[in-house]
Amino acid sequence: MTTVYDVTTWSVPGNPSATPYNDIGLIINSIIADVKSQQTNQASKPGAVVYIPPGDYSLKTRVNVDISFLTIRGSGHGFTSSSIRYNAGNTSSWHEIFPGGSRIRVENTDGNTEAFRVYRTGDPRLSSIVFQNFCLDGVSFSTNQNSYVNGKTGIRFDSANDSCRVEGMGMVYLEHGLVVRDTDALSVSGNFLAECGSCIELTGSGQASKVTDNLIGAGYVGFSIFAEGHMGLLVSANNVFPRGKSSVHFKDCTRSSITANRFHAFYPGMVNFEGNCTENLIGANHFLRQVEPFDPLKPYNNGLDDLFGLVHVAGSGNTVTGNHFSYDVPSGSVTPSGQKPTIILVASGANNYIAANNTISSVAANTVVLDGSTTGTKVLDSGGAGEFVHYTSSYSFRATP
Amino acid sequence: MTTVYDVTTWSVPGNPSATPYNDIGLIINSIIADVKSQQTNQASKPGAVVYIPPGDYSLKTRVNVDISFLTIRGSGHGFTSSSIRYNAGNTSSWHEIFPGGSRIRVENTDGNTEAFRVYRTGDPRLSSIVFQNFCLDGVSFSTNQNSYVNGKTGIRFDSANDSCRVEGMGMVYLEHGLVVRDTDALSVSGNFLAECGSCIELTGSGQASKVTDNLIGAGYVGFSIFAEGHMGLLVSANNVFPRGKSSVHFKDCTRSSITANRFHAFYPGMVNFEGNCTENLIGANHFLRQVEPFDPLKPYNNGLDDLFGLVHVAGSGNTVTGNHFSYDVPSGSVTPSGQKPTIILVASGANNYIAANNTISSVAANTVVLDGSTTGTKVLDSGGAGEFVHYTSSYSFRATP
Amino acid sequence: MTTVYDVTTWSVPGNPSATPYNDIGLIINSIIADVKSQQTNQASKPGAVVYIPPGDYSLKTRVNVDISFLTIRGSGHGFTSSSIRYNAGNTSSWHEIFPGGSRIRVENTDGNTEAFRVYRTGDPRLSSIVFQNFCLDGVSFSTNQNSYVNGKTGIRFDSANDSCRVEGMGMVYLEHGLVVRDTDALSVSGNFLAECGSCIELTGSGQASKVTDNLIGAGYVGFSIFAEGHMGLLVSANNVFPRGKSSVHFKDCTRSSITANRFHAFYPGMVNFEGNCTENLIGANHFLRQVEPFDPLKPYNNGLDDLFGLVHVAGSGNTVTGNHFSYDVPSGSVTPSGQKPTIILVASGANNYIAANNTISSVAANTVVLDGSTTGTKVLDSGGAGEFVHYTSSYSFRATP
């Protein structure tokens, strides 16, 4: 019994014309069926590895992963910029024009929107599924290559899961790269996820997961890193570049950590807390806010103005320490016009703690602003008295000397 | 001469009945013997790679690794929770009930306690041995599945070593996962080590090593990350979840670093310095202390009370900055009853430095306590005057405003 | 059409005597030529993977990589210390004396100095080239094994490139390990780069790249991590050990981040900013400065004296927060003799921010020194009044209580 499969040598029983070049989804689903037919002993289901050599594959049929311990692995995330290429004019002299590596073109004809769906009912949760080192390419955003919209999703984990990994992957020109619901101890590390509408969306709930050591940059329509209802998420050592309507967006997350990352954005709301986000740590990150320099994308933004804050805190008991903020926007581009931009906005909540942050700004800025509903925020060494605005009387403040 | 071995295709000379399913230890020892017989030139011993495809293997005989440059590699750490399963009652309808991937059941019948032992006398130290992406499963804690005791060890490095790697491994239901003595420039990264008595124990001495980007959670009997006599250890970007009697335990360590981690525990003593620990940095970490929510494990704890500190500093010249602490314990569960819990305890030593830490607590807490023997501790912006206790007159203090 | 090549089974057309043991450069160049001959469709050039099994190979001919999406991959970085061995005297009883794994001896006879050169003209930039998990060994520093000079370079990226990766590699006894010019979104992670003159040199320009989770230690003649003209570089979670004339050297870099690293050095200038370095973050790092303990290397140093600073800031708007500094030098070894060493020197620039750093020193030290040309530096909680020296009147200072 083999447990090592190669998509280029597998024959689909009863469908000899199926190839991975025509529809790798058919191939991988057939392999999964084979694994299931061979591993029927409840006490011994080790799973398998599906290898995707470098090549140019089309996926027309969604892959349905419903077994634990399956590794789907390629040899190369194969990223190259499709955004630059689609905006480059005549590329007839270019060496190559599309992503490569172990590249799967996401071209569903089965009525589904995902290339891969991980889903199972019953117990236990699916565990230790691994996606590793291949490329999911949405190919095109159809009529407007700068729209970030094509309805395509790379990988969707659609039922509760444990100890899964997405590592070394490339995703490009998908409306949604990776979507994971109700996850536990997920690892998203070492990936190159860029030029997708959204890159990483952790939805529903989650705990004890990590998003570490990635290169990430979404489109202006979506999220670079989104997490909802998470507890104990670690977001660390990522380099998150534009565009993305935010760098990290937490919705109703608690006791999570955003540390030692580098963030670069063209809009406000770089770290954006929505709903009730409590007791999170934002520490030792570098934030850079500039304006869009690329002509084709200058028409777009995330709709937020500069009073929203580069860091927007909603909720109580959060800690913001040891971060550097560079705000580099010409005064004429600040919105609303004539206003001072906000670096850190505490929009709601009690007992937030903001200490030892430094801001360098091209224009006069308010480094910390406290909304009227907030109470007990402590603001220390994070800007001068003239850079601090409070619409509440419940706070403490010590100016940077 | 091949240097790439597959455990499923190797035949043990003189022992045709040996299979990796019966005893993978015999197989790998035989492969190592073959490598040694083929590589006899002192100037050219490149080593080999031993591949373990996904499968369900038993190890009855300890593997003795006594050559440098050996990679033992699988395709999948295969973690699934055995703790949940053993406590779940009737699991007859479950899809699967055991870990998977490249899974080795540690079932020694040779009188040894380890699945793998790395050991050699003479010079030089063993170098660049790699354990990668397979599963070591202790299977059972015998009569009490919540005891974390079965006498089994996954991997033991038992002589001085250099530049070795343990990466992408899974370990579960072992009394000891990884034990490494006298190490230099070790890398322990990207692993999933959970539901072991202890997960990582770096004993004896060590220098210039790193434990980074792991998901880790030991049992209440042992250590998630333990280091003894280390200098220059970097513990960074790990998500360490319960239980573990500590998250990180240093014994006589110096000039090491614990940064940008997320820690979650059900007991005091999350970062525990024992003996004389000097000039270490604890920075930009998130700490969460709750009480045990899982009925089967509620009877157990690590024996420490809430005066011990979430961070317990013993030794001089340590730095604790930019950390967030969430202490979420019902007042009735604080011990000793009626006492205020301690967040950071400086138990001994001179010139420790504690700055810009924030605590959110469900009960009134002492954020920093200085024992009577301590001198010269500096405590800045780490809590209010009413949250600071000093049994010494030698200190400096500035309250969070 | 295969896209998976093995150097040990490839035959060079027209050159049947070529083997990877004699000249792996010829083999890989021939493989690249084959990939190019097979992939001629501009719209579909997925690249390939070149596998180097564990073995002892010589490279006499430089490999010229001029296609995107090529992965060159081995099974083992194979580091062992050549420095210890060359200085050990009689090693005739040693088990092995050279590095191993997938080891390539860099022994060019073609007039070139590099083992690998990545270079292409025209559009687009080379993308997603991967070097993974093999060993580049310069073998010898010729007449003086402690000179770190032999004119050899491991890998040189010599034209603009995007989304490339150098991961899990070993490099040893090369004058230059990895040299990358004009890079975008480069990942250098999980490597073991040591005993090279310089380890990582990112030259020309660069953006949005990361150097994370490596073990690194250069020679006294060169750089552990050097970056020039970079924007948005993330240097995080590295363990950088001696020697290296610096741990991290930035030249004209901006808005980059050095966080959560562990640095150990035998000379001043551990983090060295040259030229105009602006708005960078140095946060949550551990610095240890000692004196050279190894007799053969005691004659050497980097030529800087102790007034240069462990951190040497040149440029404006940088942030230095939450770092620990251990300075452990006998008073008789401090230079210039009788002077107090400097921990952080602000040598030039305006509006630098230094907060919440702690220094433990074996001798009286100046924790922060501001040169006469500097303006507006803010120094908070980073040492006592007696440890602060300012040759300018434009600054603000708050002593650690």
Side-chain angles (χ1 to χ4, degrees):
Chain A
M1 177 187 92
T2 186
T3 57
V4 180
Y5 296 83
D6 183 322
V7 296
T8 64
T9 58
W10 183 255
S11 296
V12 177
N15 189 351
S17 66
T19 75
Y21 309 104
N22 295 331
D23 186 2
I24 198 171
L26 279 182
I27 301 292
I28 299 179
N29 281 332
S30 171
I31 290 171
I32 292 171
D34 189 70
V35 175
K36 291 165 76 168
S37 73
Q38 307 239 20
Q39 300 184 10
T40 57
N41 176 357
Q42 186 199 36
S44 181
K45 295 187 173 180
V49 53
V50 178
Y51 179 56
I52 305 168
D56 212 329
Y57 308 97
S58 178
L59 182 146
K60 305 241 173 31
T61 304
R62 183 177 74 188
V63 175
N64 298 301
V65 178
D66 61 354
I67 54 171
S68 292
F69 317 127
L70 186 73
T71 293
I72 303 176
R73 182 174 73 80
S75 287
H77 70 46
F79 180 84
T80 198
S81 176
S82 286
S83 179
I84 291 173
R85 204 263 302 169
Y86 275 120
N87 288 292
N90 185 345
T91 58
S92 61
S93 68
W94 283 31
H95 296 288
E96 69 262 350
I97 54 173
F98 279 117
S102 297
R103 176 196 183 210
I104 295 178
R105 302 189 311 274
V106 179
E107 303 173 316
N108 292 65
T109 56
D110 61 350
N112 292 310
T113 59
E114 308 93 352
F116 291 84
R117 184 186 189 221
V118 177
Y119 177 79
R120 188 172 73 178
T121 57
D123 285 315
R125 302 172 294 185
L126 285 163
S127 298
S128 288
I129 292 163
V130 184
F131 293 91
Q132 200 168 47
N133 205 21
F134 64 92
C135 180
L136 288 167
D137 180 7
V139 182
S140 165
F141 289 129
S142 72
T143 53
N144 175 0
Q145 294 298 349
N146 298 319
S147 69
Y148 293 94
V149 175
N150 61 10
K152 297 180 180 182
T153 295
I155 302 171
R156 182 184 302 277
F157 286 75
D158 217 5
S159 58
N161 55 85
D162 185 28
S163 57
C164 293
R165 297 192 274 170
V166 178
E167 297 178 352
M169 294 290 295
M171 303 198 197
V172 54
Y173 262 55
L174 299 161
E175 186 169 334
H176 300 274
L178 173 67
V179 184
V180 185
R181 62 171 284 187
D182 301 341
T183 197
D184 191 357
L186 174 73
S187 173
V188 180
S189 294
N191 300 286
F192 199 107
L193 310 177
E195 303 181 357
C196 291
S198 288
C199 292
I200 301 172
E201 295 164 279
L202 308 180
T203 66
S205 67
Q207 64 173 338
S209 294
K210 67 183 175 76
V211 176
T212 53
D213 206 15
N214 299 285
L215 291 159
I216 304 174
Y220 58 88
V221 302
F223 302 106
S224 284
I225 303 171
F226 170 87
E228 177 184 35
H230 266 252
M231 193 275 284
L233 175 64
L234 174 66
V235 178
S236 190
N238 300 287
N239 195 327
V240 183
F241 40 81
R243 293 172 179 82
K245 62 184 182 185
S246 59
S247 303
V248 178
H249 187 119
F250 277 4
K251 181 179 179 184
D252 301 327
C253 287
T254 188
R255 294 158 172 178
S256 293
S257 198
I258 302 171
T259 48
N261 300 284
R262 182 258 171 172
F263 299 131
H264 183 197
F266 297 146
Y267 326 121
M270 295 178 65
V271 169
N272 188 346
F273 285 1
E274 178 188 354
N276 188 27
C277 288
T278 57
E279 302 182 31
N280 302 291
L281 170 62
I282 302 172
N285 302 290
H286 192 287
F287 292 79
L288 168 60
R289 157 88 157 93
Q290 294 181 300
V291 293
E292 174 67 69
F294 189 45
D295 283 333
L297 292 169
K298 284 183 178 173
Y300 307 106
N301 60 61
N302 69 351
L304 298 174
D305 68 27
D306 288 292
L307 303 181
F308 191 80
L310 294 191
V311 171
H312 182 95
V313 174
S316 297
N318 299 287
T319 299
V320 183
T321 53
N323 300 286
H324 175 100
F325 298 93
S326 285
Y327 183 90
D328 179 14
V329 175
S331 59
S333 298
V334 177
T335 61
S337 178
Q339 297 285 312
K340 290 167 72 177
T342 297
I343 303 304
I344 302 172
L345 176 66
V346 183
S348 68
N351 298 319
N352 290 294
Y353 177 95
I354 297 166
N357 301 286
N358 186 32
T359 296
I360 301 293
S361 179
S362 58
V363 298
N366 291 319
T367 58
V368 182
V369 175
L370 308 181
D371 273 6
S373 68
T374 65
T375 57
T377 309
K378 293 167 180 62
V379 181
L380 318 178
D381 303 336
S382 297
E387 300 171 313
F388 174 63
V389 175
H390 55 97
Y391 297 103
T392 172
S393 61
S394 171
Y395 68 92
S396 50
F397 177 73
R398 186 178 70 218
T400 303
Chain B
M1 177 186 91
T2 187
T3 57
V4 179
Y5 297 83
D6 183 322
V7 296
T8 64
T9 58
W10 184 254
S11 297
V12 178
N15 189 351
S17 66
T19 76
Y21 310 104
N22 295 332
D23 186 1
I24 198 171
L26 279 181
I27 301 291
I28 299 178
N29 282 331
S30 171
I31 290 171
I32 292 171
D34 189 69
V35 175
K36 291 165 76 168
S37 74
Q38 307 239 18
Q39 300 184 9
T40 57
N41 176 357
Q42 187 200 34
S44 180
K45 295 187 172 180
V49 53
V50 178
Y51 178 57
I52 305 168
D56 213 329
Y57 308 97
S58 178
L59 182 145
K60 305 244 175 28
T61 304
R62 184 177 73 188
V63 174
N64 297 301
V65 178
D66 61 354
I67 54 172
S68 292
F69 318 126
L70 186 73
T71 293
I72 303 176
R73 182 174 73 80
S75 289
H77 69 47
F79 180 84
T80 198
S81 175
S82 286
S83 179
I84 292 173
R85 204 264 301 170
Y86 276 119
N87 287 291
N90 185 345
T91 57
S92 60
S93 68
W94 283 32
H95 297 288
E96 68 262 351
I97 53 172
F98 280 116
S102 297
R103 177 198 183 208
I104 295 177
R105 301 190 311 275
V106 180
E107 303 174 317
N108 293 65
T109 57
D110 61 351
N112 293 311
T113 59
E114 307 93 350
F116 291 84
R117 184 186 190 222
V118 177
Y119 177 78
R120 189 172 71 179
T121 56
D123 285 315
R125 302 173 293 186
L126 284 163
S127 298
S128 288
I129 292 163
V130 184
F131 293 90
Q132 199 168 46
N133 204 22
F134 64 93
C135 180
L136 288 167
D137 180 7
V139 182
S140 165
F141 290 129
S142 72
T143 54
N144 175 1
Q145 293 298 349
N146 298 318
S147 69
Y148 293 95
V149 175
N150 61 11
K152 298 180 180 181
T153 295
I155 302 172
R156 182 184 301 277
F157 285 74
D158 218 5
S159 58
N161 55 86
D162 185 29
S163 58
C164 292
R165 296 192 275 169
V166 178
E167 296 179 352
M169 294 292 294
M171 303 197 197
V172 55
Y173 263 54
L174 298 161
E175 187 169 332
H176 300 274
L178 173 67
V179 184
V180 185
R181 61 170 285 186
D182 300 341
T183 197
D184 190 358
L186 175 73
S187 172
V188 180
S189 294
N191 299 286
F192 199 105
L193 310 176
E195 302 181 358
C196 290
S198 289
C199 293
I200 301 172
E201 295 164 279
L202 309 181
T203 65
S205 67
Q207 64 173 338
S209 293
K210 67 183 177 75
V211 176
T212 54
D213 205 16
N214 299 285
L215 291 158
I216 304 174
Y220 58 87
V221 303
F223 302 105
S224 284
I225 302 171
F226 171 86
E228 176 184 37
H230 266 251
M231 192 277 283
L233 176 64
L234 174 65
V235 177
S236 191
N238 300 287
N239 196 327
V240 183
F241 40 81
R243 292 174 179 84
K245 61 184 182 186
S246 58
S247 303
V248 179
H249 187 118
F250 278 2
K251 181 179 178 183
D252 300 327
C253 288
T254 187
R255 294 159 172 176
S256 292
S257 197
I258 302 171
T259 49
N261 301 283
R262 182 259 171 171
F263 299 131
H264 183 198
F266 296 146
Y267 327 121
M270 295 179 64
V271 169
N272 189 345
F273 286 180
E274 178 188 354
N276 187 28
C277 288
T278 56
E279 302 182 31
N280 301 291
L281 170 62
I282 303 172
N285 302 289
H286 192 287
F287 292 78
L288 169 61
R289 156 89 156 93
Q290 294 181 298
V291 294
E292 175 66 69
F294 189 46
D295 282 333
L297 291 169
K298 284 183 179 172
Y300 307 106
N301 61 60
N302 69 351
L304 299 174
D305 69 27
D306 287 293
L307 304 180
F308 191 81
L310 295 190
V311 171
H312 183 94
V313 174
S316 297
N318 299 287
T319 299
V320 183
T321 54
N323 300 286
H324 175 100
F325 298 92
S326 284
Y327 182 90
D328 179 14
V329 174
S331 60
S333 298
V334 176
T335 61
S337 178
Q339 297 286 311
K340 292 167 72 177
T342 297
I343 303 303
I344 302 172
L345 175 65
V346 183
S348 67
N351 298 319
N352 290 293
Y353 177 95
I354 298 167
N357 301 286
N358 185 33
T359 296
I360 301 293
S361 179
S362 57
V363 298
N366 291 320
T367 58
V368 181
V369 175
L370 308 182
D371 274 6
S373 68
T374 64
T375 58
T377 308
K378 292 167 180 63
V379 182
L380 318 179
D381 303 336
S382 297
E387 300 171 312
F388 174 64
V389 175
H390 54 97
Y391 297 103
T392 172
S393 61
S394 171
Y395 69 91
S396 51
F397 177 73
R398 186 178 71 217
T400 303
Chain C
M1 176 187 90
T2 186
T3 57
V4 180
Y5 296 83
D6 183 321
V7 296
T8 64
T9 58
W10 184 255
S11 297
V12 178
N15 188 352
S17 67
T19 76
Y21 310 105
N22 295 331
D23 186 1
I24 198 171
L26 279 181
I27 301 292
I28 299 179
N29 281 332
S30 171
I31 290 171
I32 292 171
D34 189 70
V35 175
K36 291 165 77 168
S37 73
Q38 307 240 19
Q39 300 184 10
T40 57
N41 176 356
Q42 187 199 34
S44 181
K45 295 187 173 181
V49 52
V50 178
Y51 179 56
I52 304 168
D56 213 328
Y57 308 97
S58 177
L59 182 145
K60 305 245 175 28
T61 304
R62 183 177 73 189
V63 174
N64 298 301
V65 177
D66 61 355
I67 54 172
S68 292
F69 318 127
L70 186 73
T71 293
I72 303 176
R73 182 174 73 81
S75 288
H77 68 48
F79 181 83
T80 199
S81 175
S82 286
S83 179
I84 292 173
R85 204 264 302 170
Y86 276 119
N87 288 291
N90 186 344
T91 57
S92 61
S93 69
W94 283 32
H95 296 288
E96 68 263 351
I97 53 174
F98 280 116
S102 297
R103 176 196 183 210
I104 295 177
R105 302 189 312 274
V106 179
E107 303 174 316
N108 293 64
T109 56
D110 62 349
N112 293 311
T113 58
E114 308 93 351
F116 290 84
R117 184 186 189 220
V118 177
Y119 177 80
R120 187 173 73 179
T121 57
D123 284 315
R125 302 173 293 185
L126 284 163
S127 298
S128 288
I129 293 163
V130 184
F131 293 90
Q132 201 168 44
N133 205 22
F134 65 93
C135 180
L136 288 167
D137 180 5
V139 182
S140 165
F141 289 130
S142 71
T143 53
N144 175 2
Q145 293 298 348
N146 298 319
S147 70
Y148 294 94
V149 175
N150 61 10
K152 297 180 181 183
T153 295
I155 302 171
R156 181 184 301 278
F157 286 75
D158 218 5
S159 58
N161 55 85
D162 185 28
S163 59
C164 292
R165 298 192 274 170
V166 178
E167 297 179 352
M169 294 290 295
M171 303 197 197
V172 55
Y173 263 54
L174 298 161
E175 186 169 333
H176 301 274
L178 173 67
V179 184
V180 186
R181 61 170 284 185
D182 301 340
T183 197
D184 190 358
L186 175 73
S187 173
V188 180
S189 294
N191 299 286
F192 199 105
L193 310 177
E195 302 182 356
C196 291
S198 289
C199 292
I200 300 172
E201 295 163 279
L202 308 181
T203 65
S205 67
Q207 64 172 337
S209 293
K210 68 183 175 74
V211 175
T212 54
D213 206 14
N214 299 285
L215 292 158
I216 303 173
Y220 57 89
V221 302
F223 302 105
S224 283
I225 302 171
F226 171 86
E228 177 184 36
H230 266 252
M231 193 276 284
L233 175 64
L234 175 65
V235 177
S236 190
N238 300 288
N239 196 327
V240 183
F241 40 82
R243 291 171 181 83
K245 62 184 183 186
S246 59
S247 302
V248 179
H249 187 119
F250 277 3
K251 181 178 178 182
D252 300 327
C253 288
T254 187
R255 295 158 172 177
S256 293
S257 197
I258 302 170
T259 49
N261 300 284
R262 182 259 171 171
F263 299 131
H264 183 197
F266 297 147
Y267 326 121
M270 295 178 65
V271 169
N272 188 346
F273 285 0
E274 179 188 354
N276 187 28
C277 288
T278 56
E279 302 182 32
N280 301 291
L281 170 61
I282 302 172
N285 302 290
H286 192 287
F287 293 78
L288 169 60
R289 156 88 157 92
Q290 294 181 299
V291 294
E292 174 66 69
F294 189 45
D295 282 331
L297 292 169
K298 284 183 179 172
Y300 307 106
N301 61 61
N302 69 352
L304 298 173
D305 68 28
D306 287 292
L307 304 181
F308 191 80
L310 294 191
V311 171
H312 182 95
V313 174
S316 296
N318 299 287
T319 299
V320 183
T321 54
N323 300 287
H324 175 99
F325 298 92
S326 284
Y327 182 89
D328 179 14
V329 174
S331 60
S333 298
V334 176
T335 61
S337 178
Q339 297 285 312
K340 292 167 72 178
T342 297
I343 303 304
I344 301 172
L345 176 65
V346 183
S348 67
N351 298 319
N352 290 292
Y353 177 95
I354 298 166
N357 301 287
N358 186 32
T359 295
I360 301 294
S361 178
S362 58
V363 298
N366 291 320
T367 59
V368 182
V369 175
L370 309 181
D371 273 6
S373 68
T374 64
T375 58
T377 308
K378 293 167 180 62
V379 181
L380 318 178
D381 303 336
S382 296
E387 300 171 311
F388 174 62
V389 175
H390 55 96
Y391 297 104
T392 171
S393 60
S394 170
Y395 68 91
S396 50
F397 177 73
R398 185 178 71 219
T400 304

